[in-house]
Amino acid sequence: MKKSISLRVNDQERNLEVEPRTTLLEAVRDQLGLTGAKLGCDIQVCGACTLLLDGKPVSACSVLAVDAEGCSITSIEGLSQGDTLHPIQQAFMEFGALQCGYCTSGFILTAKALFDENPKPSEQEIREYLAGNFCRCGCYQEIMQALKNVRREG
Ligand code: FES
Ligand code: FES
C-alpha cells in the first residue's frame, strides 16, 4: 500500500506517494525526475547512486524513501547556483575527470561532503573518503587532479 511522504530535496519540499519498498534512488529519479544519480550495482558497493542525506553521502539504492522523510537531501542537480557550477563541478570539467559520466554525480557529491567536513584534505584522506566510489572508465587520476586543485583553491 502506498504511503504519502514529504522529502526536502535541494531545499524544496516535495510530496510523493511511495511503496514501502521504494528506494530513495527510485523516488528521486523516477518520481522527481532528478536523474543525475545512477543505478549501478544496486547493492551498495559502487557509489553511482550517491546522494547527500543531511550532508552525508549515502548509497540511495540501499535507503528506503520512507526512511528519508524529514531529512535534507541533496542531489547533483542542487549543487550549482543558477548557471554557476559548484567549484568541484568546475574542477571536474577543467581536468576532464569523466568519460561516460555514469559515476560523476556520485564522486562529486561524496567529494562535496568531504570538503564540507575537511576543507584541506590530504591526498590520502581524499583517497580514503572516496574509496566507495568506482569509476569504470578509469578516470581516477583526473579525479584526483581535480580534487587536489579544489583543495588548493578552497
Ligand atoms: S547503485 Fe547504489 S552503490 Fe551501486
Ligand atoms: S566516467 Fe565512466 S564510470 Fe566514471
Side-chain angles (χ1 to χ4, degrees), residues 97-104 107 134-139:
L98 64 153
Q99 288 184 40
C100 76
Y102 207 81
C103 68
T104 308
F107 267 100
F134 295 161
C135 175
R136 287 182 170 80
C137 296
C139 298

Side-chain angles (χ1 to χ4, degrees), residues 25 38-50 59-62 132:
L25 183 66
K38 303 287 192 280
L39 182 64
C41 64
D42 207 8
I43 51 170
Q44 208 176 356
V45 296
C46 77
C49 64
T50 301
S59 297
C61 68
S62 303

Side-chain angles (χ1 to χ4, degrees), residues 27-136:
V28 167
R29 280 183 59 87
D30 303 341
Q31 295 195 39
L32 300 182
L34 300 171
T35 56
K38 303 287 192 280
L39 182 64
C41 64
D42 207 8
I43 51 170
Q44 208 176 356
V45 296
C46 77
C49 64
T50 301
L51 294 171
L52 301 184
L53 205 58
D54 289 338
K56 302 289 181 204
V58 296
S59 297
C61 68
S62 303
V63 174
L64 292 175
V66 291
D67 288 338
E69 192 162 26
C71 300
S72 174
I73 296 154
T74 306
S75 74
I76 194 72
E77 291 86 354
L79 234 55
S80 58
Q81 301 284 330
D83 289 340
T84 305
L85 293 177
H86 187 281
I88 300 173
Q89 293 175 303
Q90 192 64 45
F92 266 59
M93 283 182 55
E94 281 172 18
F95 287 87
L98 64 153
Q99 288 184 40
C100 76
Y102 207 81
C103 68
T104 308
S105 72
F107 267 100
I108 290 176
L109 287 170
T110 304
K112 179 183 185 307
L114 166 63
F115 284 107
D116 286 348
E117 262 178 44
N118 178 4
K120 300 275 183 191
S122 66
E123 186 165 337
Q124 184 60 24
E125 285 170 327
I126 295 174
R127 288 184 191 282
E128 285 173 8
Y129 205 94
L130 290 164
N133 290 80
F134 295 161
C135 175
R136 287 182 170 80

